[in-house]
Amino acid sequence: MWSTPPLSMTPAETAARITQLLGCCQNTISSGKACRSPNYSKSLCPQSVPRPATLMAAAPVRQRCGSGGPRSQLPPCYFEGYLEKRGPKEKASRRLWTCLCGNSLYFFNNAKDAHYVEKLDLSGFVSLKDDSSRDRNLEAARLILRMKDGETKFTAPNLEARELWKGFLYSVIDLNVPSSLTLLPGQFQMLKEVVEKERTRRRTRNPGRAPPSPLSVPLVGEIPPCFRPVSRTEAEVLLERHPDCGNMLLRPGRDGCSLAVTTRQDLNGSVFRHYRVTQRDQGGYVIDVENPIPCATLHDVIDALVEKTAGTLQPFLLEEPYEENITYVSANDENGEKILHTAPSSPLPRVPALPPKQDRWCTSPLSRSPAADRRILTSPVPASPTNPMRRLILSPSPLTQTLNDELKLTLEKRKTGQD
C-alpha cells in the first residue's frame, strides 16, 4: 500500500506527483518490488516517499487524545513521533508511536490507538547518549537511554529528530533547557515552554513542595568541598571528564527538597550510581538505601560512603586554576578601544622603616647614639616587673652614667663663668 505524499505539498503538486508515480511505476505497483528503471528517481519511488509519521517525528505535534480512552487521562504531551524501541529484555526492535507525556514515555502501536502498550517512567533516569552504530537506514540516528533497571535503545528517523528527542527528554528530566544540543532558536524556545509547563504540573500535583530548583535545597551546617550545584547529567559529565579528581560528588536532588550523591566507577565503561540523601526532621541526614544510614552532618554522609566502599569512592575535588598575573582592562584615549593589560610583576618599592621610638626612661640624647644600647632598648622584654632581665635593661650602664656626670660638670662650669 502506498504512503501518502508529504503534507506540506499543495493539491496541484500532489496531483502531479501521483500522476508521475503512476506513469513510472506501473510494474512496481503490480509486483510490489522497487522500480529498477534508470530513468526513475529513487525519491519518487512509493517505497521511499516519506510517511507523515516520519515527518512528524522531527517536530513536536499536537496531542491526539482519544475520547474516553486512557490517552485522555495521561499528562500533557510535549513531544511525539515514531521511534524504533528495543528494551533491555527484547531481542528485536519495534516501531512504536512514542509520546512524551509528563515525566514518562508512552508507547502505542500507531498514532491513532487510544490504549498504550508500554510505559517508561523517567524517574529512574541515569544517562542519555548517542549510539554511533550504523543502521540499515543510513539517515536514521540511534540513542541509548540508560535507566536504573537497564538500557533502552531507540532509533530516530534522522539526526534532527534525535536532537529534538534529546532536548525534550533533558528538559523534562532536569527541568532545565540543555545548551549543548544543535537546535534552532525557535526549538530552544519550545523547550523553555515545556520546562515551565512541567514545573507548573509538578507544582500543582505536589502543592506542598518547593519549586524543583537546585537553589531551593536547604543546606544545613558546613558544606563538604565535593558539593557541586549541578544536575544529574552535569554531575556525570564532571566525573567522567575529570576521573583523577575523585569519583563521588554531592549535588542537589531533582525534587529540590533533598540531596543526592553521584558516583562513577569503571566496569567495561562508566557505571554511574545516584543515592538520595534526605534531611531528617529531628536533625541530621539519612542515606536512603535498603538499610538507611543515618548521619549527623553532610561530612558524615561522605565519610560513610568512603568507609562502606573501603576507600573505593573518593570525594570529587576539582582544582580550578588561578591566575598567575594581575590583568586589567583599559580604554585607549584615541580610539576608545579596550585592551587587556598585564600588571608588572616586579616587586613594589619598600617603604623606609621608621626610627625607633625614644624610651621614656632615656633622658639624655647621648644614650641613643651607641648601636649596642639601641639594640638593647628595642629588644622585646616580658611585661612582668619582677623579671630580672627587665631590671637589668632599665638600669643605666656605667659608660652612660660617666658621660652624664661629665656633661653636668661642663654645664655647671659654663654657667659659673657666665656669672
Side-chain angles (χ1 to χ4, degrees):
M1 184 174 181
W2 287 15
S3 299
T4 57
L7 299 177
S8 59
M9 297 179 63
T10 62
E13 292 175 344
T14 303
R17 188 163 187 174
I18 291 176
T19 303
Q20 189 175 8
L21 289 172
L22 290 174
C24 296
C25 301
Q26 293 179 354
N27 295 332
T28 304
I29 296 174
S30 59
S31 63
K33 298 181 180 180
C35 181
R36 302 299 180 184
S37 174
N39 298 326
Y40 179 74
S41 173
K42 183 179 179 180
S43 61
L44 299 177
C45 180
Q47 296 179 0
S48 63
V49 175
R51 299 183 181 180
T54 304
L55 295 174
M56 286 186 289
V61 294
R62 295 181 180 179
Q63 181 184 10
R64 296 177 174 84
C65 297
S67 58
R71 185 179 289 202
S72 60
Q73 303 175 3
L74 298 181
C77 182
Y78 302 130
F79 194 60
E80 59 182 353
Y82 273 111
L83 287 176
E84 292 185 11
K85 170 187 173 293
R86 189 177 72 179
K89 298 181 180 180
E90 296 175 342
K91 297 182 179 180
S93 299
R94 292 183 297 161
R95 188 170 182 267
L96 300 173
W97 182 259
T98 308
C99 297
L100 176 60
C101 301
N103 195 33
S104 300
L105 288 173
Y106 294 86
F107 302 96
F108 301 82
N109 287 324
N110 56 65
K112 296 182 180 180
D113 281 358
H115 300 271
Y116 62 88
V117 294
E118 289 185 34
K119 175 187 174 182
L120 181 60
D121 190 358
L122 298 176
S123 59
F125 173 81
V126 175
S127 65
L128 180 65
K129 63 180 182 179
D130 297 340
D131 185 1
S132 58
S133 59
R134 290 189 175 183
D135 189 81
R136 58 179 178 273
N137 180 8
L138 298 180
E139 295 183 357
R142 295 180 173 181
L143 68 157
I144 299 176
L145 176 63
R146 180 180 297 173
M147 309 293 290
K148 290 183 178 179
D149 54 354
E151 293 182 349
T152 302
K153 296 184 178 181
F154 295 100
T155 302
N158 49 55
L159 291 175
E160 182 184 2
R162 183 177 69 178
E163 287 295 294
L164 277 173
W165 274 110
K166 288 165 58 179
F168 279 94
L169 288 173
Y170 279 133
S171 299
V172 170
I173 292 171
D174 295 332
L175 292 179
N176 283 309
V177 177
S179 58
S180 59
L181 301 179
T182 307
L183 298 174
L184 298 175
Q187 295 169 338
F188 278 112
Q189 182 62 33
M190 288 191 298
L191 297 183
K192 291 181 182 179
E193 296 175 359
V194 167
V195 170
E196 293 300 325
K197 291 179 181 178
E198 181 63 13
R199 284 180 177 175
T200 304
R201 187 187 72 87
R202 296 188 189 182
R203 194 180 301 116
T204 305
R205 186 183 60 179
N206 301 316
R209 289 189 175 185
S213 170
L215 300 178
S216 63
V217 178
L219 298 180
V220 179
E222 187 178 356
I223 303 175
C226 62
F227 175 80
R228 292 275 169 171
V230 296
S231 64
R232 176 190 288 243
T233 304
E234 293 170 337
E236 294 179 355
V237 172
L238 272 177
L239 293 176
E240 194 161 21
R241 189 174 296 173
H242 306 280
D244 298 334
C245 298
N247 55 2
M248 172 178 57
L249 63 79
L250 183 68
R251 60 175 179 83
R254 187 181 302 161
D255 56 1
C257 301
S258 62
L259 295 164
V261 175
T262 299
T263 65
R264 174 191 175 273
Q265 298 183 72
D266 289 323
L267 182 62
N268 298 325
S270 297
V271 178
F272 296 98
R273 292 292 181 267
H274 305 272
Y275 304 95
R276 185 188 299 274
V277 179
T278 56
Q279 187 175 359
R280 297 187 297 179
D281 296 335
Q282 61 272 24
Y285 298 87
V286 61
I287 305 175
D288 289 337
V289 289
E290 186 176 358
N291 295 321
I293 305 174
C295 302
T297 64
L298 292 176
H299 283 277
D300 294 337
V301 170
I302 303 300
D303 293 341
L305 292 173
V306 174
E307 182 180 355
K308 293 288 184 182
T309 59
T312 302
L313 297 179
Q314 290 296 322
F316 180 79
L317 303 175
L318 180 61
E319 293 292 338
E320 299 182 357
Y322 293 93
E323 298 294 335
E324 297 181 356
N325 297 312
I326 300 175
T327 58
Y328 61 95
V329 178
S330 64
N332 193 327
D333 296 336
E334 297 181 357
N335 53 16
E337 182 181 357
K338 293 185 178 181
I339 305 175
L340 182 64
H341 298 275
T342 302
S345 57
S346 58
L348 298 175
R350 293 184 178 181
V351 179
L354 297 176
K357 295 182 179 181
Q358 181 180 359
D359 295 72
R360 58 186 179 182
W361 58 80
C362 297
T363 57
S364 173
L366 298 178
S367 63
R368 299 197 307 268
S369 57
D373 292 346
R374 191 160 57 241
R375 288 195 300 268
I376 293 175
L377 293 176
T378 57
S379 60
V381 181
S384 174
T386 60
N387 193 331
M389 292 298 295
R390 181 178 178 86
R391 293 199 303 270
L392 177 62
I393 294 175
L394 292 180
S395 60
S397 63
L399 178 60
T400 304
Q401 187 67 31
T402 304
L403 293 175
N404 289 339
D405 293 343
E406 293 180 355
L407 182 59
K408 289 180 181 180
L409 292 175
T410 304
L411 292 175
E412 288 178 359
K413 288 181 181 179
R414 289 182 179 179
K415 186 176 180 180
T416 304
Q418 290 178 359
D419 295 341

